[in-house]
């Protein structure tokens, strides 16, 4: 494996953490949804591999956990609340490769969407459709995951902007906490140094606005402002005015107008 492929990969999970994999997860519920037992039964080593310094090993473990937790993405499986705390732990741990952390966040976003759909759909399949399901422990596990992910919004470690963007995308699925999250996203936007993460914060505000009670109008007004705000403007020529260039570099003021247009459209859609 090339050195660039190993960049950011960890040195393995701690002994304390691996012990928790064995004792805190009901592994009888963590199975391949498409392969009959016993070939489709997994164990604690599956979580351990997320921390592998070998990027391919960690990536394959993440993909296996994705399908064990949500299959094709239409429902939340019984495995999901069992391993969710450790998926969040992996996202929070810089010892896990950034690429794996962002892929785990994509899995969490799929799970959150499926959980929301199951809550809205209620019991039983709709006529002509497939049944949307989530196990009884899922809502509480998801609530704890949201709380654990929130601090990552303010994690300014260089190179982790993709993780922050992924966290914002996941938290945008926590629609029952829309008012609080909108305030958090707006505050973080002012301090976010990277355009990609700032754009995702804007999109997240648009996703949450229709669900907000107290902050909906404020969110919509803020998004309207972003659709016309060019941020800090065009980069000055460093050779012409070094001081102006340095001042420009120290500002955030991102131009997020394209993302804001998309977010505003989402914000104005009826539920």
């Amino acid at each position: 494996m090339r050195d660039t492929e190993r960049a950011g990969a960890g040195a393995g999970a701690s002994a304390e953490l691996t012990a928790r994999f064995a004792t805190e997860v009901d592994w009888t519920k963590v199975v391949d949804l498409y392969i009959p037992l016993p070939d489709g039964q997994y164990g604690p080593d599956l979580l351990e591999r997320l921390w592998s310094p070998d990027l391919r090993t960690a990536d394959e473990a993440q993909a296996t956990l994705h399908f064990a937790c949500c299959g094709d993405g239409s429902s939340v499986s019984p495995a999901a609340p069992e391993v969710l705390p450790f998926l969040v732990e992996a996202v929070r741990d810089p010892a896990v490769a950034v690429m794996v952390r962002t892929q785990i966040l994509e899995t969490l976003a799929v799970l959150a969407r499926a959980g929301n759909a199951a809550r809205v759909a209620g019991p039983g399949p709709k006529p002509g459709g497939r049944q949307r399901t989530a196990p009884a422990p899922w809502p509480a596990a998801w609530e704890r995951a949201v709380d654990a992910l929130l601090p990552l919004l303010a994690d300014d470690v260089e190179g982790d902007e993709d993780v922050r963007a992924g966290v914002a995308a996941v938290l945008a699925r926590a629609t029952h906490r829309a008012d609080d999250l909108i305030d958090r996203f707006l505050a973080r936007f002012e301090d976010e140094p990277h355009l990609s993460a700032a754009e995702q914060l804007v999109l997240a505000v648009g996703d949450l606005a229709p669900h907000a009670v107290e902050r909906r109008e404020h969110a919509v007004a803020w998004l309207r402002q972003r659709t016309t705000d060019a941020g800090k403007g065009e980069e000055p020529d460093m050779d012409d005015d070094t001081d102006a260039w340095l001042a420009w570099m120290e500002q955030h003021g991102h131009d997020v107008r394209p993302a804001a247009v998309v977010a505003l459209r989402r914000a104005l859609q009826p539920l």
Side-chain angles (χ1 to χ4, degrees), residues 113-169:
R113 282 193 296 269
N116 288 345
R119 185 185 70 249
V120 172
K126 299 300 179 184
R130 74 176 55 173
Q131 185 172 1
R132 309 288 180 173
T133 60
W138 173 253
W142 166 234
E143 190 73 19
R144 291 190 293 269
V146 169
D147 289 333
L149 289 170
L150 278 171
L152 291 182
L153 283 177
D155 188 350
D156 287 328
V157 175
E158 185 66 27
D160 277 5
E161 58 271 16
D162 289 341
V163 173
R164 290 196 300 278
V167 168

Side-chain angles (χ1 to χ4, degrees), residues 37-150:
L37 295 175
D39 291 339
Q41 178 72 57
Y42 300 119
D45 63 306
L46 180 58
L47 284 171
E48 290 180 37
R49 293 201 293 272
L50 292 177
W51 275 261
S52 172
D54 182 85
L55 190 54
R56 178 175 296 176
T57 297
D59 178 56
E60 290 176 351
Q62 187 281 325
T64 299
L65 284 160
H66 175 97
F67 285 106
C69 287
C70 56
D72 64 359
S74 61
S75 296
V76 179
S77 82
E82 294 295 324
V83 300
L84 180 63
F86 297 110
L87 295 180
V88 172
E89 190 75 26
V91 170
R92 288 162 51 93
D93 192 343
V96 177
V98 170
M99 185 191 80
V100 176
R101 295 165 73 195
T102 56
Q103 289 175 334
I104 293 171
L105 285 164
E106 291 175 7
T107 295
L108 298 187
V110 172
L111 283 168
R113 282 193 296 269
N116 288 345
R119 185 185 70 249
V120 172
K126 299 300 179 184
R130 74 176 55 173
Q131 185 172 1
R132 309 288 180 173
T133 60
W138 173 253
W142 166 234
E143 190 73 19
R144 291 190 293 269
V146 169
D147 289 333
L149 289 170
L150 278 171

Side-chain angles (χ1 to χ4, degrees), residues 175 177-183 186 204-225 263-271:
T175 53
R177 295 175 59 168
D179 287 295
D180 171 57
L181 288 170
I182 285 172
D183 283 341
L186 298 190
V205 171
D207 287 332
L208 288 173
H211 304 274
V213 177
E214 298 177 357
R215 304 301 285 167
R216 183 179 185 277
E217 291 185 5
H218 179 71
V220 169
W222 184 84
L223 289 171
R224 290 191 192 278
Q225 291 176 339
L264 183 60
R265 188 179 303 119
R266 296 177 184 176
L268 296 174
Q269 288 181 347
L271 290 177

